[in-house]
Amino acid sequence: MGLIAKSGGKGFDPLPEAVYNAVCFWVIDLGTQLSTKFGTKAHKILIGWECPAERISVEKDGVKMDLPRMISQKYTLSLNEKANLRRDLQSWRGRVFTEQELEGFDIKNVLGKSCMIQVIHNKSEEKTYANIAAIMPLMKGTAPLTPENPTVFYSIEDHGDQIPAGVPDWVRDEIKVSDEWQTFKPAEEAHPPAT
């Protein structure tokens, strides 16, 4: 069925403020999450983009790699007229949703799609965060990008406790506190290692 919407990493400097040519390489279902600030629950997703104009050197399994910087945005899985997801998708696509699309839009459709994103910085106490201020379609004549990292799509409904490789621990931890995750016994708990 997929993800149907209806009516940061630790230890790195934030992505610099700028407008970037970017490509979506993550669409990850976070499940139903509790907002401690408001005491309400909502189904959340995480969309992640690579920004190849900004690079970072990382070491993985003893191998140094030059990779594009990335940024992600958390959304409530809703296309309500006031929803941030609807606003950003319409801006990204360069057109409003049709009535038919509002009845059910598969979020997986954005995976591998390019856009322009504007990154701004917000400060909270001693920390600076890179946030997405706007998402726009590519400028005419700009070639779409192909993700350098493997694309990742995860839906709790479709994939259950099988979170794909490449999903960072901080995202896994968020998935594992969702209401949906609590309804089944994850494989690692159902089959504890022999001692």
Side-chain angles (χ1 to χ4, degrees), residues 161-176:
D161 64 350
Q162 303 302 307
I163 301 172
V167 173
D169 289 342
W170 63 271
V171 177
R172 288 175 182 272
D173 291 345
E174 196 152 347
I175 293 167
K176 289 180 178 182

Side-chain angles (χ1 to χ4, degrees), residues 138-181:
L138 289 178
M139 292 173 43
K140 286 189 178 185
T142 304
L145 298 170
T146 300
E148 294 180 42
N149 288 296
T151 57
V152 175
F153 174 75
Y154 170 71
S155 161
I156 291 176
E157 183 179 338
D158 294 341
H159 305 111
D161 64 350
Q162 303 302 307
I163 301 172
V167 173
D169 289 342
W170 63 271
V171 177
R172 288 175 182 272
D173 291 345
E174 196 152 347
I175 293 167
K176 289 180 178 182
V177 298
S178 71
D179 288 356
E180 291 81 359
W181 189 269

Side-chain angles (χ1 to χ4, degrees), residues 31-50:
T32 303
Q33 301 280 329
L34 172 66
S35 167
T36 53
K37 183 177 180 180
F38 300 108
T40 58
K41 290 186 176 188
H43 195 149
K44 300 289 185 176
I45 62 168
L46 185 73
I47 299 178
W49 295 266
E50 293 180 351

Side-chain angles (χ1 to χ4, degrees), residues 72-190:
S72 61
Q73 178 72 38
K74 193 185 301 184
Y75 294 97
T76 297
L77 185 63
S78 171
L79 293 181
N80 177 286
E81 64 184 68
K82 294 182 180 178
N84 291 336
L85 179 63
R86 179 174 174 171
R87 179 202 64 212
D88 284 354
L89 288 175
Q90 288 182 154
S91 179
W92 183 353
R93 293 161 22 117
R95 64 183 178 85
V96 298
F97 281 103
T98 65
E99 289 301 318
Q100 184 177 1
E101 288 171 326
L102 288 172
E103 290 175 14
F105 178 79
D106 191 345
I107 303 301
K108 188 176 182 181
N109 289 334
V110 302
L111 198 60
K113 300 289 192 286
S114 295
C115 61
M116 303 295 292
I117 59 172
Q118 180 186 19
V119 174
I120 61 169
H121 287 174
N122 298 101
K123 293 190 180 203
S124 176
E125 298 176 14
E126 298 295 317
K127 192 156 173 84
T128 300
Y129 296 92
N131 291 300
I132 296 173
I135 303 175
M136 300 147 284
L138 289 178
M139 292 173 43
K140 286 189 178 185
T142 304
L145 298 170
T146 300
E148 294 180 42
N149 288 296
T151 57
V152 175
F153 174 75
Y154 170 71
S155 161
I156 291 176
E157 183 179 338
D158 294 341
H159 305 111
D161 64 350
Q162 303 302 307
I163 301 172
V167 173
D169 289 342
W170 63 271
V171 177
R172 288 175 182 272
D173 291 345
E174 196 152 347
I175 293 167
K176 289 180 178 182
V177 298
S178 71
D179 288 356
E180 291 81 359
W181 189 269
Q182 306 310 311
T183 64
F184 54 82
K185 204 166 211 169
E188 65 264 19
E189 292 176 20

